[in-house]
Amino acid sequence: MPTTTLYLIRHAEAAVDDERADPGLSPRGELQAAALARRLSAMRVDVHDDVLLHSSRRRAAAAAAIVATAHAGWASRASDDVEDRTAVPEDLSAVPERYHRLLRDVPADEHDPDGRRLDAAVRSLSAIGDQDRTVVAITHAFVVGWFVRSVLDAPAWRWISLPVSNASLTVLQWQSDREPRVLSFNDTGHLA
């Protein structure tokens, strides 16, 4: 059976002294991205069509550039499927009250009503073709949380409570003859 394996990576640490709304990586973040590149090499991960996906945010693009440079033949490109989004329920009553303020304060450019665009991204990146496919994507904590929540078929709000560390690796897998699986979540062993 053909398999789709998705390596979802939260961007490395952002520069906190960068006053722009879209910061790049901190020096520590650059080291984290380099460690991640070594980890992917050691795992012999080979991406579909030699393309590493990333969001358009500077911190994700910078981490992707470091990873792609370490892998001969890999290119990186921005993808709407891994853009920085926050699934905000149209009806907050289904979400524990402790999360209401967070959800009300989501910036307009990240606001994804009921996670519709994130659901479309899950469908796109989990598609199973005629042969095995491996996708590597550098994205953001809430996006990783939404994908994991989706694979586990958990209630829509559960992504909020999933901790996702900088430069962590989450591996998800889909096959047509079985339920989707979480192979690893929030793995930071390469940062030790």
Side-chain angles (χ1 to χ4, degrees), residues 119-137:
D119 283 340
V122 171
R123 286 190 300 275
S124 172
L125 294 179
S126 68
I128 301 168
D130 295 335
Q131 54 190 330
D132 290 348
R133 179 172 79 125
T134 301
V135 178
V136 178

Side-chain angles (χ1 to χ4, degrees), residues 52-113:
L52 166 66
L53 304 178
H54 61 81
S55 86
S56 63
R57 303 287 184 163
R58 287 180 57 224
R59 56 199 178 272
I66 292 168
V67 171
T69 298
H71 292 84
W74 284 21
S76 66
R77 74 169 170 81
S79 170
D80 191 58
D81 284 336
V82 294
E83 201 54 62
D84 193 6
R85 292 199 173 88
T86 304
V88 179
E90 291 181 358
D91 177 11
L92 285 180
S93 68
V95 178
E97 191 172 324
R98 65 184 174 274
Y99 298 119
H100 288 193
R101 182 173 178 194
L102 167 84
L103 293 169
R104 280 195 290 273
D105 291 344
V106 171
D109 65 333
E110 294 175 23
H111 196 276
D112 182 10

